[in-house]
Every structure is written in structure tokens, then in C-alpha cells.
């Protein structure tokens, strides 16, 4: 099973709303990622969790707040977003490995629209 | 700045032909290389990975890696219209971090 499940698939939120994106995997992977992808652009890394600890934060604005409650779950809390934050948000997971990265598998993404 | 470069395309090939997709990277310390396929509006799907110099074949796909030239490629034999998608090259620079190229749009014409 190489499935990463993201919910919701689509989300429309106002600039004053608070919402959360959820990601779940049961492959035993201990590295999980959030990426943001705008149309016709490659995925941009936002956050990396390794063994449930935040290891990389790519200078993401504080209106995005990640959380890794356990080894299977990854959340992205959203607050006071701007219309330019509208994008496809992708979760991925992999098995961390010294010196190289094991294959990363992506969820289906959450299409976020900020109005 | 650690970069991964791809020709944006579109690369147009006739059905049944070989499609050749190329990627260069700037960080000589990169150790792992991945090819993802992404259909419009969908998430990236891993199709190949390669760690060692040389060729790696999986069905109609062959990944080629040349670390001396900092070059990785993907060959798709007997291209089908269903192969039409954007192909993303990704490189592991350090730790658990993938850097993506801009992607090459492939169009396979019947």
C-alpha cells in the first residue's frame, strides 16, 4: 500500500477563517512533507517532519502552522490566509535514510481557494 | 542556490516513438534522483528513481544517470497518448529534502 490520504480534496475559505488540512499514511514512513504547488509550477517545499520533529521550515509565513501529532498524521493549520495562498497543497511521505532519500509518495492534494 | 533544470517543452512525439526527457542539477553532492509524472490537476506520481550511475529500466521507462556530467534523463519507449503529462525531475540535495525541476510537458500525438 503506497497510499497517502489527504482531506479535504477541495477547500474554499475566507481570509478570516481558520481551517486545517489533514494527511495520513500507514506505510510506516517517518518523514512527512508539505508542499505548495501553483498552476504550471513545480511543487515548492514548505515543511519537513522527520521522526515527528520539524526538521525543515522553508521560511513559510506564520499563517501556515504545521503539526505532526504522531508518525501517521500530518496537519497544516491555516489562519488569515491571502488570496495568493490559493494553490494545490500536497502532502508526501518517505522513509528517511542516511545519506539518501527513499522514494517520496504524494497524496492527491487539497485544492485550496482563498476568497 | 541548488538548482534542477528541465526544458519546459512542450515535447511533442508521435505515438510509438521514444520520448527523451532531460534534467541537469547543480549540486554535486546530490545522491538520489527521481522522476514524477503529473497529469493536469492531479498530484505527482513516482515513476522511477535512480541512485547509481548508469541505466535503470522498468517496463517502458529507462532512467539514466551520469553524476560526472550532473545529468539525469528519462526515456519512454513506445510512447502512448496516455503518457501525455508533465514530467518532474526531483533531486535529493541533503537530508530529507527534494528539489524539483520546473517540469517538462510531454505530448504524445496519436
Amino acid at each position: 500500500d503506497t497510499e497517502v490520504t489527504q482531506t479535504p480534496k477541495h477547500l474554499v475559505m475566507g481570509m478570516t477563517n481558520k481551517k486545517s488540512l489533514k494527511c495520513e499514511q500507514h506505510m510506516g514512513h517517518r518523514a512527512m512533507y508539505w508542499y505548495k504547488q501553483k498552476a504550471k509550477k513545480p511543487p515548492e517545499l514548505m515543511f519537513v517532519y522527520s521522526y515527528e520533529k520539524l526538521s525543515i521550515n522553508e521560511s513559510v509565513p506564520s499563517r501556515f502552522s504545521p503539526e505532526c501529532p504522531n508518525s501517521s498524521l500530518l496537519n497544516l493549520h491555516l489562519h488569515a490566509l491571502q488570496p495568493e495562498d490559493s494553490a494545490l497543497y500536497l502532502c508526501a511521505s518517505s522513509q528517511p535514510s542516511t545519506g539518501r532519500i527513499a522514494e517520496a509518495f504524494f497524496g492527491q492534494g487539497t485544492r485550496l481557494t482563498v476568497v | 542556490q541548488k538548482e534542477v533544470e528541465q526544458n519546459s517543452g512542450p515535447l511533442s512525439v508521435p505515438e510509438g516513438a521514444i520520448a527523451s526527457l532531460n534534467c541537469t542539477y547543480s549540486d554535486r553532492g546530490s545522491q538520489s534522483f527521481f522522476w514524477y509524472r503529473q497529469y493536469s490537476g492531479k498530484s505527482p506520481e513516482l515513476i522511477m528513481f535512480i541512485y547509481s550511475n548508469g541505466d535503470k529500466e522498468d517496463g517502458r521507462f529507462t532512467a539514466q544517470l551520469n553524476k560526472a556530467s550532473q545529468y539525469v534523463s528519462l526515456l519512454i519507449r513506445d510512447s502512448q497518448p496516455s503518457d501525455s503529462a508533465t514530467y518532474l525531475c526531483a533531486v535529493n540535495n541533503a537530508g530529507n529534502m527534494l528539489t524539483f525541476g520546473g517540469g517538462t510537458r510531454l505530448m504524445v500525438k496519436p
Side-chain angles (χ1 to χ4, degrees):
Chain A
D1 181 10
T2 58
E3 190 169 298
V4 178
T5 304
Q6 288 186 244
T7 55
K9 288 187 170 51
H10 301 274
L11 178 63
V12 179
M13 62 184 290
M15 288 188 283
T16 58
N17 291 158
K18 285 185 182 181
K19 296 286 184 184
S20 297
L21 309 185
K22 297 187 184 300
C23 175
E24 188 170 5
Q25 57 88 15
H26 294 289
M27 294 178 278
H29 289 171
R30 301 304 296 276
M32 296 186 76
Y33 313 78
W34 281 115
Y35 284 85
K36 174 183 176 180
Q37 188 175 25
K38 303 280 275 185
K40 300 189 187 303
K41 298 290 186 184
E44 295 176 25
L45 183 65
M46 300 175 72
F47 303 104
V48 180
Y49 274 84
S50 181
Y51 296 96
E52 297 86 69
K53 287 185 171 28
L54 183 64
S55 61
I56 296 175
N57 177 339
E58 289 291 281
S59 302
V60 179
S62 60
R63 58 186 184 267
F64 295 93
S65 175
E67 178 195 19
C68 189
N70 59 53
S71 60
S72 300
L73 294 174
L74 184 67
N75 299 322
L76 186 62
H77 303 299
L78 314 173
H79 174 53
L81 294 193
Q82 303 297 310
E84 58 265 29
D85 295 321
S86 298
L88 181 67
Y89 287 83
L90 295 162
C91 173
S93 72
S94 72
Q95 193 61 273
S97 182
T98 302
R100 65 170 55 163
I101 187 173
E103 309 88 273
F105 296 94
F106 283 86
Q108 292 306 300
T110 294
R111 176 75 58 189
L112 174 68
T113 303
V114 182
V115 296
Chain B
Q1 181 75 12
K2 296 171 181 172
E3 295 182 347
V4 180
E5 301 285 344
Q6 295 180 256
N7 188 318
S8 62
L11 172 67
S12 182
V13 300
E15 184 175 355
I18 295 175
S20 178
L21 304 162
N22 304 316
C23 173
T24 59
Y25 59 95
S26 62
D27 182 6
R28 282 197 173 275
S30 300
Q31 297 198 32
S32 313
F33 307 86
F34 303 84
W35 284 100
Y36 287 85
R37 176 176 63 199
Q38 187 171 27
Y39 294 110
S40 180
K42 303 295 185 183
S43 63
E45 174 192 7
L46 180 68
I47 53 173
M48 289 287 289
F49 62 90
I50 187 166
Y51 301 139
S52 304
N53 275 329
D55 294 0
K56 179 182 178 184
E57 187 174 319
D58 183 0
R60 295 187 296 114
F61 299 100
T62 299
Q64 299 174 316
L65 175 61
N66 183 325
K67 289 187 178 181
S69 300
Q70 294 175 244
Y71 176 91
V72 59
S73 65
L74 179 70
L75 301 178
I76 306 174
R77 289 181 297 281
D78 188 24
S79 296
Q80 301 296 310
S82 58
D83 294 326
S84 298
T86 295
Y87 289 80
L88 296 161
C89 172
V91 175
N92 166 230
N93 299 116
N96 300 313
M97 185 169 170
L98 280 179
T99 299
F100 283 87
T104 298
R105 189 157 70 95
L106 173 67
M107 296 171 59
V108 181
K109 298 193 171 180

